[in-house]
Amino acid sequence: MLIAFALAYATCMALSLAMTRHFQQVWPRQKLSPRLATFLRNGGWILLVLTLVYCAKLEGIAVGLVLILGLFSAAAFLLALLLHYAPRVALVLVFAAPLAGLL
Amino acid sequence: MKNGFRQSMSWVHTWGGLSVGWILFFVFLTGTLGYFDTEIDRWMKPELPKDTSTMAQSLAVAEARLQQKAEGAERWFINPPTNRDNPNLRIFWQMSGKDGERGVRGNELVDSTTGDALSSRATGGGQTLYQMHYALHYLPTDVAYWIVGICSMFMLLAIVTGVVIHKKIFKDFFTFRPQKGQRSWLDMHNLLSVTALPFHFMITYSGLIFLAFTYMPLIVASSYGTGDDAERKFFDELFAEGNKIERANSPANLASLGAMVAIAEARWGENQVRYLDIDNPGDANARVSIGRQLDSPLRASPELIFDGVSGELLNDKAAATSAPRTVRDTFLGLHEGLFANTVLRWLYFLSSLLGTAMIATGMILWTVKRRPAQLKKANGPDFGHRVVESLNLGTIVGLPIAIAAYFWANRLLPLDIAARSNWEVHVMFLVWFAALIYPLTRNIMRGWVDLLWVAAAAYGFLPIVNALTTDRHLANSLAQGDWLFAGVDLTLLITGTLFAAAALKLQRRLQQTPAAAANSNKNNGDNNNMLAQKISAQSPEAT
């Protein structure tokens, strides 16, 4: 379940970092290159599909769909607050969450 | 009405939202708590023990108790304590009636170790709170359904128009910029709405489906006619319980329920039996239906049907029946979330809180937008503006305080007063009424600080009240690993802490800019900032 959340969160992170506004919340001094933006956006969509597959495997397609919507609500809301109040924590969580899920 | 499509949609969104916002806030908040109705029930009945019996024990106890209470009944029903909805063994019976009349019914909770009936204090529990979200209170059910229905239709309208008028729904998906006054309120309102948009739409639409028979009676009337009889016939046919078997009227012993449950568990897995439904117990034509736990939004379980005398497995019934019924049940099942495990239940709870906060921020946004112009007026803000501001405060902070008061009443009202469970609710509404009046007597910003502190105390001290009045307090429940009681106490503590944090933050802001506190014509921006700060801390705490 934690892995499912980690996947949803990573999806949100990739999709948000592909936008200059959020990229500069995490790295204020750096510029988002168009290539990196494309990479992050495509990566985000791939992660989205992975999350969907994982949730469907975990709970079956019916409940999996309910689960993924709930996870994305939680992940996106949390990320939006973190990006403003604690951008470093937002970044660390991308790596910490899957680790915690695997342990 | 203004010109232009987006402007007119914006007008509908603003005024449609405002006109029903307070009732919607009530519906959303009490509905949110409904996702933990059983947990609140259990917290409010601290006398009930935690059931730790095995399946075999509870079956034996249930059968003995039913034999004693309802021999020769038409129907027995057993809920073993195998899921969150039934933390204790529950039995139900219905005696056979004469001449087509329905027989006497009864039900009780049973202690599966001693076999005695369990009793607890008279309380409305989480169920009363949850029922308020569609039946309100103090009103005839039909009237309440119509009020809630009309408000829900406005909600649906607000959701659709909200999506239309949101110009940059994808670009602003993750955007929140605090300390920018009105901008921040709009950001937060958008964030709350967009991140849980599928939930908001699903919950509102399926809520309307629940009561579609009330809102669209003519569709039934076109085939069945009008009047009470026609209506009864329609519901009898719609919710018919399949082919019931007639009594043989020759006595025969019931086969071993344990053996049937063993067959079911072999197919489904351990603890997968949700109920046993026994028709004609003690008769030669006894039938036993064993239902599985809910694991999908379908609202129905697969069932195994046994011959009650030979114990032979007769039939394996799938959960789904007809297609239209399945569509309806799926929407209702999604709304109720009874199938949800612990994690999904918390996600439901969280999404629903986001919805509650969405309504709150929308209503605050209405006042924040108009406050600068209102404060410039020679005689101060208009009466109407003042009323909206007061209703906002009295509802957004006042209702949570009232709900805390309901919890206090559960612990503190004498156990032997008449109509005790009604008084719990009276206490809740009296407190809410006081919270609605209070803002009219005080400067609005000071009023926010005061009521936020009251809410912090009301929630923060509840675990202490629990500790003083019962032995199932936090220290004990943590030591015993009783996560239900610990969970409720901890959630109350966290809620209190969040209210306190919000109060403190707003108070500091007011002290930094005393002019704003005096409601002067300056520093309007700061006024708005304070509220923006507050909601950013407040969003998860609307419990």
Side-chain angles (χ1 to χ4, degrees):
Chain A
M1 205 57 97
L2 208 53
I3 295 198
F5 177 78
L7 278 168
Y9 183 80
T11 308
C12 292
M13 193 77 198
L15 289 175
S16 66
L17 287 183
M19 290 186 258
T20 308
R21 178 192 291 160
H22 300 301
F23 185 85
Q24 291 196 331
Q25 280 179 308
V26 183
W27 295 287
R29 273 160 237 276
Q30 286 173 39
K31 221 174 150 256
L32 174 66
S33 71
R35 275 184 63 186
L36 184 57
T38 315
F39 173 77
L40 283 169
R41 196 172 307 116
N42 292 340
W45 287 109
I46 292 169
L47 277 168
L48 179 69
V49 175
L50 281 179
T51 317
L52 188 62
V53 171
Y54 186 81
C55 285
K57 270 197 89 140
L58 200 66
E59 297 278 345
I61 188 79
V63 178
L65 279 175
V66 183
L67 179 65
I68 196 173
L69 290 176
L71 286 172
F72 269 106
S73 297
F77 186 71
L78 178 71
L79 178 64
L81 293 186
L82 284 179
L83 277 177
H84 187 275
Y85 289 106
R88 292 282 147 192
V89 178
L91 198 61
V92 168
L93 202 58
V94 176
F95 304 101
L99 273 181
L102 290 173
L103 288 179
Chain B
M1 193 78 70
K2 310 260 174 58
N3 303 323
F5 181 62
R6 201 162 243 162
Q7 279 94 323
S8 25
M9 289 295 114
S10 174
W11 186 91
V12 171
H13 187 84
T14 304
W15 293 96
L18 180 79
S19 56
V20 296
W22 300 289
I23 298 178
L24 282 176
F25 185 85
F26 176 85
V27 169
F28 261 69
L29 186 53
T30 48
T32 302
L33 295 175
Y35 287 121
F36 287 119
D37 56 347
T38 311
E39 287 74 9
I40 298 174
D41 274 347
R42 293 286 298 107
W43 192 88
M44 291 198 164
K45 295 174 184 171
E47 300 85 4
L48 294 183
K50 189 176 175 181
D51 195 312
T52 51
S53 62
T54 61
M55 184 59 130
Q57 263 177 317
S58 26
L59 277 184
V61 163
E63 199 177 342
R65 185 79 190 163
L66 280 165
Q67 203 69 262
Q68 181 192 336
K69 295 288 289 192
E71 207 184 353
E74 185 178 294
R75 186 181 179 199
W76 290 352
F77 199 92
I78 303 171
N79 274 127
T82 51
N83 64 23
R84 79 167 262 283
D85 258 341
N86 294 292
N88 292 92
L89 173 64
R90 177 187 291 279
I91 57 172
F92 162 91
W93 62 87
Q94 179 172 350
M95 307 307 288
S96 26
K98 282 172 199 144
D99 314 319
E101 296 249 324
R102 197 162 68 189
V104 184
R105 296 169 152 196
N107 74 85
E108 61 185 24
L109 290 178
V110 186
D111 186 328
S112 347
T113 35
T114 63
D116 296 328
L118 289 167
S119 64
S120 58
R121 65 185 65 196
T123 176
Q127 299 310 322
T128 301
L129 218 45
Y130 147 81
Q131 280 155 13
M132 283 178 197
H133 96 275
Y134 57 85
L136 306 177
H137 209 77
Y138 301 121
L139 285 175
T141 328
D142 272 352
V143 177
Y145 284 176
W146 274 103
I147 294 176
V148 173
I150 290 168
C151 293
S152 306
M153 287 175 210
F154 270 87
M155 179 83 195
L156 203 57
L157 204 62
I159 291 173
V160 174
T161 52
V163 172
V164 171
I165 61 182
H166 193 348
K167 290 187 193 117
K168 294 180 282 187
I169 203 162
F170 290 109
K171 203 155 172 263
D172 280 351
F173 199 95
F174 300 102
T175 301
F176 176 54
R177 292 157 289 190
Q179 313 212 17
K180 290 200 170 63
Q182 192 186 320
R183 176 79 248 171
S184 309
W185 282 102
L186 185 58
D187 274 356
M188 185 45 94
H189 183 62
N190 288 344
L191 186 62
L192 292 163
S193 314
V194 173
T195 50
L197 185 60
F199 175 85
H200 301 328
F201 184 81
M202 176 280 285
I203 210 76
T204 311
Y205 182 70
S206 56
L208 284 167
I209 300 228
F210 258 98
L211 300 170
F213 297 126
T214 307
Y215 306 140
M216 295 188 278
L218 290 180
I219 295 177
V220 174
S222 69
S223 309
Y224 285 81
T226 54
D228 285 350
D229 281 346
E231 206 170 273
R232 200 170 304 122
K233 184 157 183 285
F234 169 72
F235 282 114
D236 280 351
E237 286 183 16
L238 183 65
F239 297 113
E241 297 204 11
N243 333 334
K244 286 269 172 195
I245 189 166
E246 288 290 313
R247 270 184 106 79
N249 283 326
S250 60
N253 283 335
L254 194 61
S256 158
L257 294 177
M260 297 179 212
V261 166
I263 294 177
E265 288 197 331
R267 290 194 170 209
W268 297 334
E270 211 176 320
N271 282 331
Q272 282 297 313
V273 170
R274 184 161 66 105
Y275 61 82
L276 291 88
D277 188 353
I278 304 150
D279 282 329
N280 311 324
D283 185 84
N285 271 349
R287 281 282 179 281
V288 180
S289 310
I290 297 185
R292 191 178 174 167
Q293 306 282 13
L294 291 171
D295 62 351
S296 81
L298 268 180
R299 282 184 111 209
S301 313
E303 273 186 348
L304 291 180
I305 306 190
F306 294 88
D307 184 316
V309 177
S310 69
E312 186 193 348
L313 176 60
L314 301 175
N315 195 2
D316 187 347
K317 215 171 94 193
T321 47
S322 73
R325 178 81 189 267
T326 304
V327 171
R328 176 177 186 269
D329 279 356
T330 303
F331 270 114
L332 305 194
L334 278 174
H335 188 108
E336 294 172 323
L338 285 175
F339 62 93
N341 57 26
T342 312
V343 174
L344 196 49
R345 184 160 298 281
W346 277 100
L347 288 174
Y348 258 110
F349 182 72
L350 179 79
S351 306
S352 198
L353 271 187
L354 295 182
T356 313
M358 164 181 77
I359 296 167
T361 49
M363 294 194 301
I364 292 173
L365 190 55
W366 189 94
T367 60
V368 168
K369 225 174 190 169
R370 285 158 184 78
R371 187 178 292 139
Q374 287 288 337
L375 289 180
K376 282 198 191 91
K377 296 202 168 182
N379 303 326
D382 291 341
F383 179 69
H385 186 84
R386 190 87 179 92
V387 167
V388 172
E389 277 187 330
S390 304
L391 281 174
N392 277 355
L393 171 54
T395 306
I396 295 169
V397 188
L399 180 61
I401 295 175
I403 289 171
Y406 179 72
F407 279 65
W408 281 71
N410 171 269
R411 284 294 189 265
L412 294 181
L413 283 180
L415 291 177
D416 52 1
I417 57 169
R420 185 175 188 278
S421 55
N422 290 345
W423 272 105
E424 288 177 346
V425 179
H426 297 333
V427 167
M428 171 177 162
F429 280 95
L430 284 171
V431 169
W432 191 14
F433 183 69
L436 283 169
I437 296 297
Y438 182 73
L440 289 170
T441 67
R442 193 102 160 90
N443 170 292
I444 193 74
M445 296 311 288
R446 292 270 180 231
W448 275 92
V449 175
D450 295 347
L451 287 192
L452 282 170
W453 278 121
V454 173
Y459 282 93
F461 288 123
L462 260 176
I464 297 171
V465 174
N466 182 32
L468 293 176
T469 51
T470 74
D471 55 356
R472 303 188 76 166
H473 50 77
L474 201 48
N476 273 351
S477 47
L478 281 175
Q480 290 161 7
D482 185 346
W483 282 105
L484 195 149
F485 269 79
V488 175
D489 271 356
L490 287 172
T491 308
L492 292 170
L493 269 181
I494 292 168
T495 311
T497 313
L498 288 171
F499 271 119
L504 204 60
K505 206 154 192 175
L506 188 57
Q507 193 172 20
R508 290 230 175 99
R509 289 255 151 187
L510 282 182
Q511 280 160 0
Q512 278 166 14
T513 53
N519 215 357
S520 83
N521 293 350
K522 288 170 195 161
N523 295 321
N524 305 327
D526 274 301
N527 260 341
N528 302 344
N529 282 350
M530 281 175 255
L531 282 165
Q533 287 284 325
K534 198 196 63 53
I535 199 72
S536 67
Q538 193 198 15
S539 46
E541 77 185 357
T543 356

